[in-house]
Amino acid sequence: MVQQIIHVYLMPGMAASPKIFEHIILPKNQFKLHYLEWSIPLSNESLTDYAERLSRNISHDNIVLLGVSFGGVLVQEMRKFVSIRKLIIVSSVKSMHELPKKMLIVKATKAYLLAPTQLASKIDVFEKYAFGKNIQKRLELYKKYLSVNDSGYLSWAIKQMVCWEQKVAIPDIIHIHGDSDPVFPIKHIKDCIVIKGGTHIAIINKYKWFNENLPRLILGG
């Protein structure tokens, strides 16, 4: 009997490219990976409408949908429009109640309107004035993995992230989170699978954990 292939669709984090999944390898006799990409939002497009539009790029049923960070929020909206076998989020949140206080303050004060997103297109300028190995390494990661530097997209994405109003977590969602995530601190996160030493980019630097554990999680373990 021929084993049915499970289609796994991967959504990167805010402004990131599918390159963040470059080291994710699942058994090819069981899984086929598909890489979703960000597009520029339409004028005044809601997150739900954006999710519906992006879901048109999915051409299979009963899929696994995995999203990282803001991509994790997006896939929770996309699941309204596609047939899901498993919904997995990584380094993300399941509801507005898991957002850190600083993001709630940004929402309350509408400080997201002041974010200097136009600077995102000037990474090369930042690089010339970066001092210290950590800063330079971070800039190298940005250059390699960020694919969208459109200020309109970034303004929209930041607003959608901090203003997300999901109040209750989706039943049976699988949440994978690093215990050293500085963006979404673990102290605000409930009911997740914890990766020891995992930061916000665990999908990149803890890829071995994902390669070892994703098959079991997808198949129901």
Side-chain angles (χ1 to χ4, degrees), residues 56-168:
R56 299 172 197 168
N57 296 324
I58 293 175
S59 54
H60 302 91
D61 293 321
N62 200 31
I63 66 166
V64 175
L65 194 52
L66 182 152
V68 176
S69 191
F70 179 51
V73 170
L74 179 63
V75 298
Q76 291 175 75
E77 295 294 325
M78 291 176 67
R79 69 71 168 83
K80 300 172 183 176
F81 308 103
V82 293
S83 172
I84 297 289
R85 175 191 181 112
K86 283 286 172 66
L87 182 62
I88 303 173
I89 63 172
V90 179
S91 306
S92 189
V93 295
K94 299 184 292 297
S95 77
M96 60 186 290
H97 304 298
E98 293 185 333
L99 291 172
K101 287 184 179 179
K102 61 184 178 182
M103 288 192 184
L104 297 177
I105 293 172
V106 167
K107 174 185 177 182
T109 60
K110 295 187 177 181
Y112 54 81
L113 297 174
L114 305 175
T117 53
Q118 69 275 11
L119 297 179
S121 62
K122 298 179 172 57
I123 288 178
D124 288 331
V125 175
F126 287 148
E127 189 175 36
K128 292 177 183 178
Y129 298 97
F131 296 95
K133 290 183 179 180
N134 289 337
I135 295 176
Q136 290 177 342
K137 184 177 290 186
R138 192 174 300 172
L139 286 170
E140 288 172 6
L141 287 173
Y142 286 159
K143 290 182 72 173
K144 180 176 181 179
Y145 293 115
L146 263 63
S147 64
V148 184
N149 59 13
D150 179 85
S151 62
Y153 160 83
L154 291 168
S155 296
W156 173 87
I158 292 169
K159 178 182 178 181
Q160 301 306 320
M161 181 70 250
V162 301
C163 295
W164 192 47
E165 295 190 349
Q166 179 82 10
K167 293 181 175 62
V168 180

Side-chain angles (χ1 to χ4, degrees), residues 170-187:
I170 298 167
D172 300 323
I173 188 172
I174 297 173
H175 187 171
I176 303 169
H177 211 88
D179 64 1
S180 299
D181 189 324
V183 178
F184 299 119
I186 193 75
K187 65 182 180 181

Side-chain angles (χ1 to χ4, degrees), residues 12-28:
M14 186 183 295
S17 80
K19 286 182 180 179
I20 69 168
F21 303 112
E22 63 184 345
H23 298 302
I24 301 300
I25 301 173
L26 304 183
K28 292 184 179 180

